[in-house]
Amino acid sequence: MNKQPAIKLCGITKSFGSVVANHNIDLTVQRGEILALLGENGSGKTTLMNILAGIYQPESGEIYIDGQRVSIHSPEDANRLGIGMIHQHFKLVDIHTAADNIILGNEPKGLFLQKSRFDKVRELSERFGLSIDPMKKIYNMSVSEKQTVEILKVLYRGANILILDEPTAVLTVQEIRRLFDILRRMRDEGCAVVIITHKLDEVMEISDRVTVLRKGESVETVDTASCDIRKLTELMVGRPVELSIDRPERTHSGTLLEIHHLTVESEEGVRMLDDVNMTLKKGEILGVAGVAGSGQRELCETIAGLMPIKEGAILFNKKNIENMTARQIFKAGISMSFIPEDRLGMGLAASMGIVDNMLLKTYLDSPGPFVQKKEARLLAETITKKLRISTSGMNAPVSRMSGGNVQKVLLGREIESRPQVLITAYPVRGLDINTSYTIYDALNAQKQAGTGVLFVCEDLDVMLELCDRIMVLCHGKVTGIVNAADTTKEELGLLMTNAQRKGDSPNAE
């Protein structure tokens, strides 16, 4: 039996211009183990794994697979070496079946697809304990089913080294447990598994060892059983970090936002929100939980004036803002900030720098023909310092920044505008633990100032600690609104799948 490590990286260095993403990194992964790769935003985790997957090539260093030195110049090279990477955003063709997505690019020769492909996929899924219907179309699948298809794609190509980048970001508690069962099964089959994640409780649950990167360098590799979350955090950040999320008492009275019988349909006539009723109180953080695609995005965009309403009403301080555009809401004197899920598509202009992105909300109100940038530059400098944004310059396009730093720019701009209502869609997705806690503190500061915060998040642990109430959506319907202090992850998971318990309150106040 080959006793060599499945993966051995020696002295890997990779730069992007003047930014050194990886510097002289060593990494070893054994067969039959799950290694967690941790680090703050910009620490080089994804870059390092993209090198292994053939997406990037290093300037220096050596790669060994099962003891043999190899050169990986493309994803095809990685596939031939048994390396498969599952990216955070799935790469599937919606109109095709699971089986066709799995064999895509690896079809047997011939003019026609063979019917036996369904049986081959079924046999592979049964071997690894993966439950999937090979004939089911991708557009009819849940997020966890799509992830299963991605895993089967790499297994079908013979991958025995599996890399997963933030695999639990959009899964329910029950789906995460199912995924972890799959990963353990693969580990027991002799696969080497690398998981990139920011969720330290999941690291402790699923990994055998942990490698921590900091500022592009490898800090330490530890056995998971011999460390705890506090030690891992200190290794990531380089200093002790307080890991508690405050939930200050709500001290303001009154209701800011009321939604009555809200129904929203897509352009194709599909009902995205169905008879939604809710309130957002002054000085309250209201969490919105649900499986991805349950209506969270549509709820946020409708309140912000970006989607039309089919039925119902939205009242801000008793004033109906139904079907008002974002600009009309602003002109009406309503201070509302929206942090969308699509940072570069909706929140920021990718080709602009930080300073110009600060101007996007106010440039139309500038007196005279010229845009005044002095205040915008001061705001950009303040946000950059406060949130520790890494950038090559205030005027460098934000598209060149890491995903985490892009989020910080958008978050900083919206929070600094001191809104009455703050709508946040996944505000800490992709952020490291240190910056995440900075954001939680900022949201609590908004709460204490009387702002009503609508907080969409996939991390139920965070919701339970941070929010005052949690509203759960399933297929566009409200399945429950509960007090965060009186519920559990398991109960939220049941509501997310519409398995509401008898006697649960649909609207806790």
Side-chain angles (χ1 to χ4, degrees):
M1 183 177 177
N2 189 355
K3 296 295 184 181
Q4 296 286 349
I7 305 167
K8 186 176 181 182
L9 306 181
C10 302
I12 297 295
T13 297
K14 174 66 180 177
S15 300
F16 297 95
S18 61
V19 178
V20 180
N22 297 143
H23 177 65
N24 200 31
I25 290 181
D26 296 336
L27 179 76
T28 300
V29 187
Q30 303 291 339
R31 292 212 168 273
E33 83 163 343
I34 299 174
L35 177 82
L37 197 57
L38 282 181
E40 291 189 275
N41 296 118
S43 61
K45 306 180 299 296
T46 301
T47 298
L48 186 65
M49 290 299 101
N50 280 335
I51 289 172
L52 194 57
I55 297 171
Y56 299 143
Q57 285 73 52
E59 277 100 42
S60 61
E62 299 173 347
I63 301 174
Y64 295 86
I65 301 298
D66 292 323
Q68 300 295 315
R69 185 176 177 181
V70 298
S71 296
I72 306 176
H73 298 290
S74 67
E76 288 75 19
D77 289 343
N79 286 337
R80 284 191 288 270
L81 291 166
I83 301 169
M85 184 168 179
I86 299 171
H87 299 271
Q88 186 173 355
H89 303 289
F90 302 145
K91 302 180 185 300
L92 300 171
V93 183
D94 280 353
I95 61 172
H96 287 178
T97 64
D100 291 340
N101 270 275
I102 289 164
I103 70 169
L104 194 63
N106 205 36
E107 306 95 330
K109 292 181 179 179
L111 294 175
F112 303 101
L113 289 173
Q114 300 174 1
K115 291 184 178 179
S116 61
R117 69 189 187 279
F118 297 112
D119 294 329
K120 290 179 180 177
V121 169
R122 193 173 286 109
E123 290 171 7
L124 183 65
S125 63
E126 289 174 355
R127 176 188 164 193
F128 284 93
L130 303 172
S131 177
I132 199 72
D133 179 359
M135 302 182 71
K136 191 172 184 179
K137 301 279 189 177
I138 298 299
Y139 61 74
N140 285 326
M141 290 184 175
S142 67
V143 176
S144 64
E145 287 177 308
K146 292 177 182 179
Q147 192 167 61
T148 300
V149 174
E150 287 281 16
I151 293 173
L152 284 168
K153 270 174 61 178
V154 299
L155 294 177
Y156 185 84
R157 287 160 174 75
N160 49 43
I161 296 172
L162 187 65
I163 305 164
L164 300 100
D165 191 357
E166 298 286 353
T168 65
V170 292
L171 300 183
T172 65
V173 176
Q174 291 83 355
E175 288 169 337
I176 290 170
R177 287 176 179 168
R178 180 171 168 271
L179 172 64
F180 285 179
D181 288 340
I182 292 169
L183 297 183
R184 293 186 184 102
R185 179 79 173 264
M186 295 177 68
R187 176 187 62 191
D188 295 342
E189 287 269 344
C191 294
V193 180
V194 181
I195 179 171
I196 301 172
T197 180
H198 286 107
K199 299 180 181 179
L200 297 182
D201 55 334
E202 294 177 2
V203 170
M204 299 301 297
E205 180 180 348
I206 190 64
S207 68
D208 300 297
R209 291 190 303 141
V210 185
T211 292
V212 180
L213 303 185
R214 191 194 313 148
K215 296 180 180 178
E217 298 185 354
S218 179
V219 176
E220 192 172 341
T221 298
V222 297
D223 291 330
T224 308
S226 66
C227 66
D228 56 24
I229 288 177
R230 191 168 297 279
K231 179 179 178 180
L232 291 176
T233 305
E234 191 168 339
L235 287 173
M236 288 170 58
V237 180
R239 56 179 173 78
V241 176
E242 181 58 48
L243 292 177
S244 61
I245 301 176
D246 290 331
R247 181 166 55 207
E249 290 293 324
R250 180 171 168 259
T251 58
H252 298 267
S253 60
T255 298
L256 283 170
L257 201 66
E258 299 174 56
I259 292 179
H260 299 283
H261 305 292
L262 180 66
T263 297
V264 174
E265 292 184 353
S266 68
E267 294 179 358
E268 295 78 21
V270 178
R271 186 158 289 194
M272 310 305 294
L273 293 173
D274 190 356
D275 196 33
V276 170
N277 295 278
M278 57 162 277
T279 59
L280 177 62
K281 301 173 183 179
K282 194 172 184 179
E284 172 190 47
I285 299 180
L286 174 66
V288 181
V291 178
S294 293
Q296 303 96 312
R297 179 177 63 83
E298 290 78 12
L299 178 65
C300 293
E301 292 184 12
T302 302
I303 296 172
L306 301 176
M307 286 191 75
I309 297 171
K310 182 176 177 59
E311 296 175 10
I314 301 176
L315 305 180
F316 180 89
N317 283 335
K318 304 299 182 180
K319 179 179 181 179
N320 195 347
I321 61 172
E322 172 191 348
N323 284 330
M324 290 175 65
T325 66
R327 184 68 182 163
Q328 289 170 335
I329 291 172
F330 179 77
K331 282 289 189 181
I334 298 170
S335 178
M336 183 185 297
S337 287
F338 176 36
I339 300 165
E341 182 178 359
D342 185 359
R343 314 299 180 201
L344 290 177
M346 292 181 64
L348 300 173
S351 61
M352 292 182 179
I354 300 177
V355 174
D356 288 340
N357 270 288
M358 295 299 110
L359 287 165
L360 287 182
K361 294 183 72 171
T362 58
Y363 74 95
L364 288 175
D365 301 308
S366 297
F370 301 106
V371 175
Q372 303 298 318
K373 291 191 175 183
K374 183 177 179 181
E375 289 185 7
R377 178 168 290 278
L378 289 173
L379 178 59
E381 290 172 351
T382 299
I383 291 171
T384 299
K385 183 177 180 180
K386 184 182 294 185
L387 297 181
R388 295 192 299 139
I389 297 171
S390 178
T391 177
S392 57
M394 291 295 166
N395 296 314
V398 294
S399 60
R400 296 180 185 174
M401 299 164 61
S402 70
N405 284 305
V406 168
Q407 285 176 296
K408 293 178 190 178
V409 173
L410 180 55
L411 282 160
R413 185 188 72 189
E414 297 302 317
I415 288 176
E416 288 296 322
S417 68
R418 295 177 175 80
Q420 294 168 285
V421 171
L422 175 62
I423 305 167
T424 64
Y426 309 102
V428 298
R429 179 181 285 175
L431 296 182
D432 57 71
I433 189 167
N434 193 36
T435 306
S436 295
Y437 277 80
T438 300
I439 299 305
Y440 303 146
D441 290 342
L443 294 179
N444 273 326
Q446 293 291 303
K447 169 184 174 177
Q448 291 175 304
T451 300
V453 180
L454 192 69
F455 180 76
V456 181
C457 179
E458 69 273 355
D459 192 326
L460 298 183
D461 287 307
V462 169
M463 276 197 169
L464 290 170
E465 288 189 69
L466 180 68
C467 298
D468 299 291
R469 293 184 299 147
I470 300 173
M471 178 175 74
V472 184
L473 290 175
C474 181
H475 301 302
K477 288 179 174 289
V478 177
T479 55
I481 302 178
V482 297
N483 292 316
D486 301 327
T487 191
T488 64
K489 283 200 301 182
E490 287 71 24
E491 290 171 353
L492 290 175
L494 290 173
L495 289 170
M496 288 165 70
T497 55
N498 205 18
Q500 185 176 349
R501 298 178 314 165
K502 198 170 185 179
D504 278 340
S505 169
N507 190 16
E509 291 294 337

